Amino acid sequence: MFEPDTYEHDLLNRASLDHCVKCTICETQCPVAAVTPLFSGPKYVGPQAERFRHGESVDHSLDYCSSCGICTHVCPQGVHIAELNSVARSAMKADHMPLRDQLISRTTLMGMTMTPLAPVANAVLRFKPALVAVEKVVGIHRNAAMPTAHVQTLVGWLRSRTAPKNPAPRGKLIFFHGCAQNYFEVETGIKTIEVLEHLGFEVIVPKQGCCGLPLQSNGIFDTARSWVRKLVAQLREAPQDLTIISCSTSCGGMLKHEANEILGVKDADLLEVGGRMRDVCEFLLEMYDNGDLDTSDWLPNELTVPYHAPCQLRGQNIGTPAVQLLELVPGLTVVESGAYCCGIAGTYGLKKEKYDIAMKVGKPVFDKVVAINEGVAACDSETCRWQIEQATSVPTVHPIAFIHQAMGLSKLPVSTGG
Amino acid sequence: MANTVVIGAGLSGLVAAIRLARAGRGVTLLTKGIGGLPLSQGTVDILGYAPDRVETPIQASASMPEAHPYRVLGPAAIAAGVAYVQELLGDRLVGSPERNVLLPTAVGSLRPTCLVPTSMTAGVVTGGIRYVLVGFRQLKDFYPLLCAGNLERQTTPDGQPIHARGIILDMPAVEDMADSNAIGYARSLDNPAYRIKLAAVIKPMLEDGEVVGFPAMVGEHDASAHRHLEQLLDHPVFEVPLPPPGVPGMRLNALLTGLAKEAGVRIVAGARVVTFESDGDRILSVGQATAGRIRQYAADTFVYAPGGFESGALNMDSYGTVTETLFDLPLHGLGPDLITAGEPADQALFRVGVGVDKEMRVVDPAGNAPYSNLYAAGGILAGAIRWSEKSGDGIALASAVTAADSILKGA
């Protein structure tokens, strides 16, 4: 239970729930309620239960909400359903935060531990008895989609490479790599930087830590706040008039709106940084719309690609820019998954009690990917890519990989090069 | 490429966007949620009451008051709008815009409407029809005995009897579920095995010549669910719309949204449009409150189809002042006594809205356009009380098609 006069308490009683007209559209679109009776749906645990909360949670099925945010996205009245429910869940778990949730939400720790031990860590993650032990002791499902560790981090690559000497006629950009691109999705980070440099930007990569999103989505708010504030200060050490590019939909979304709307961090610095943050496909499509992206020399790629727009991207309310962007590649056909969520929702699908639900949530995505499969699928979010790969065995890449290839920057075709 | 921004993802916004995109325009559709169609009944009403029950809606539209959108649009535009949605949806919508039909509601009244989804056509009232209404103990939104009892008390418009009885089944949507809703049943009914199980329970209870009415939840995605159930029961089957959100409305929304994406419409959902930029009499761009910032979308023309009071596009403050909340457009139908102690259906407030000329360009009460490139469609239009006239769908279609054609002609 939260003390009166705290932000959480206020949020639990906030006014947006009065905008709820009980139209129930959110209930019909919720991907979790559609597959399990364990979750009664966003309206029931949210704007309805809210009236009885008085600072604490009344409906424990709330724990089964995956925080995908689709309820807020589809609400015609502007009710902050997902945000209300995230705060209520934090209140519910405050006294008994599972060790597992403490562990999986510290992504930098995971990355720092796994990188020097990458071959060992990856071997352990493929060793069934070890995974069964982890499931029993910690509560991470034995089949959960875990990241692959890399010997070299993105920061290590930046240090070891020869930076381009070419002039940068389009000026400078800041790259926000987050934990994922630094430790687990190094390739995506490298390709993003190379695409931006190819376009004539100079890419600045300031030292940066974790945005705190995994902590936030697991309800560990205080630590999440201090981490996001620290990150904001780090990003502001670079010139403060530059656009910031992210190729992680979840971390970008954290800085754009979740730290403000869920954690209640109202610092002017955070809002300023959030306002400069762009998803890389959003940024490139806006360039195209403004006539600043020349695609005339893009290499053709005769391929049909299943594409999943992750829930975290939808939460940014920028449409699905990757679809329009990929369709600029000659020969490339994009088929959307047509589903709202792949089930993983950050760390939700890792948890042993939620794994089966997450797999059911993602089934329409997996079925579409398998049906279309020509060797590779695309998705903007790293955890979703791991989930889709794990469930379908179809290599799944960030859309930037296709742009990288179209620009002639990739040595291997996307479907085999990762 | 010439481009248009459409604001709103209801019937008018989607239809205008599809028509423009299919004609080769670049179309971006901005919307707060996923539009109002999931709250609809999946039928197309043109005009149900004026104020008496209407049989020939296009003909009756000429008798509406002068300020009504149908008088601005005219019968040809109404027919064109309805024809376009029939063209888009093919045989999924049955009926003629020249003729209304009556369908049973969930409480057993008779509702006039015009175009009807295939899954409802068997329910159209005819003399001597024998209904059997099927309900479920676990479903709180449909009471078959109430529905049947009220139907029995009525006759067809020409005085023929209506027979009806109800059956209550004890069968949850998912095993052991105490309380099932229509969406849950619809998802179960997407599964042929569930339909076979259900039909096996019902079939012995049916009598020769009966038409079987189900609450509107016979499949969410599987378009063959209705036909399959008819085959299993060897009786005609129809759906009775339930309180919103309605599965037939969700199906219609999914179909039109799919057609919009196929036509190349960029749909940007999840945030309100909150600002605009103009230069003289032209709107240059509108700003959507995306995460972290306001994103401006520039276009040469704009179709404003946000709905009315129900979506917050029109607002009345505590002093009784009514405003249009995005562009602060001049409103039509203002005056004293917007709300009186009379019947809800007669309140002048509901006729307040945005005025348009024959092209659907927004105009002030004197007939002057504040912006030369701003068109309006659907529920924001002044002069109609859509819910009591049952005119909302027809207005949406006719104004959307007219606005799109005006833009295409002007381009």
Side-chain angles (χ1 to χ4, degrees), chain A residues 119-278:
Chain A
V120 180
N122 291 335
V124 170
L125 288 175
R126 277 164 193 73
F127 183 52
K128 202 80 189 177
L131 297 178
V132 173
V134 167
E135 175 181 296
K136 287 213 159 67
V137 178
V138 188
I140 298 174
H141 194 280
R142 66 186 73 172
N143 296 331
M146 296 295 281
T148 306
H150 295 267
V151 179
Q152 189 179 41
T153 63
L154 182 73
V155 171
W157 174 79
L158 283 166
R159 243 186 256 125
S160 65
R161 74 161 184 163
T162 318
K165 296 273 185 304
N166 310 336
R170 291 185 194 261
K172 298 174 182 180
L173 293 169
I174 297 171
F175 182 56
F176 165 46
H177 54 62
C179 314
Q181 267 63 241
N182 194 29
Y183 294 113
F184 306 118
E185 288 281 315
V186 181
E187 194 71 24
T188 301
I190 293 173
K191 285 182 172 169
T192 302
I193 291 172
E194 287 180 345
V195 163
L196 295 171
E197 287 175 344
H198 180 78
L199 287 170
F201 292 102
E202 180 187 337
V203 181
I204 300 174
V205 187
K207 181 177 160 36
Q208 49 193 279
C210 174
C211 66
L213 172 64
L215 290 161
Q216 182 255 95
S217 68
N218 280 288
I220 306 166
F221 278 13
D222 282 341
T223 318
R225 284 189 193 108
S226 73
W227 287 24
V228 76
R229 284 192 165 112
K230 188 172 169 202
L231 171 65
V232 163
Q234 288 173 326
L235 291 173
R236 282 171 57 82
E237 279 169 24
Q240 291 172 13
D241 55 345
L242 301 182
T243 300
I244 307 171
I245 305 293
S246 166
C247 54
S248 168
T249 50
S250 55
C251 311
M254 176 73 168
L255 287 170
K256 276 182 171 184
H257 66 125
E258 291 199 359
N260 168 15
E261 289 167 2
I262 296 177
L263 296 178
V265 178
K266 304 290 177 191
D267 309 2
D269 286 0
L270 168 79
L271 302 180
E272 189 275 321
V273 164
R276 285 192 278 139
M277 183 70 62
R278 300 286 182 276

Side-chain angles (χ1 to χ4, degrees), chain A residues 83-101:
Chain A
E83 291 81 357
L84 288 162
N85 286 335
S86 289
V87 174
R89 192 178 44 243
S90 172
M92 189 175 79
K93 287 170 69 182
D95 301 334
H96 54 278
M97 186 63 68
L99 173 67
R100 185 258 329 264
D101 297 5

Side-chain angles (χ1 to χ4, degrees), chain A residues 23-25 28-29 34 72-78 256-257 275 278 282 285-286 289 316-319 324 336 340, chain B residues 32-35 38-39 177 183 187 244-245 250 261 266-272 288-293 295 310:
Chain A
C23 76
T24 314
I25 282 180
T28 68
Q29 303 298 310
T72 297
H73 181 71
V74 299
C75 175
Q77 302 293 340
K256 276 182 171 184
H257 66 125
R278 300 286 182 276
E282 173 192 16
L285 186 65
E286 212 168 329
D289 287 345
Q316 297 182 29
N317 311 327
I318 53 173
Q324 283 89 38
E336 290 188 65
Y340 277 136
Chain B
K32 167 66 199 79
I34 54 170
L39 305 176
M177 202 182 247
I183 307 300
R187 287 173 179 150
M250 290 171 63
K261 295 190 103 167
R266 272 193 211 176
I267 299 179
V268 186
R272 265 185 193 283
Q288 190 181 26
T290 62
R293 63 165 178 151
R295 157 82 149 100
E310 70 279 12

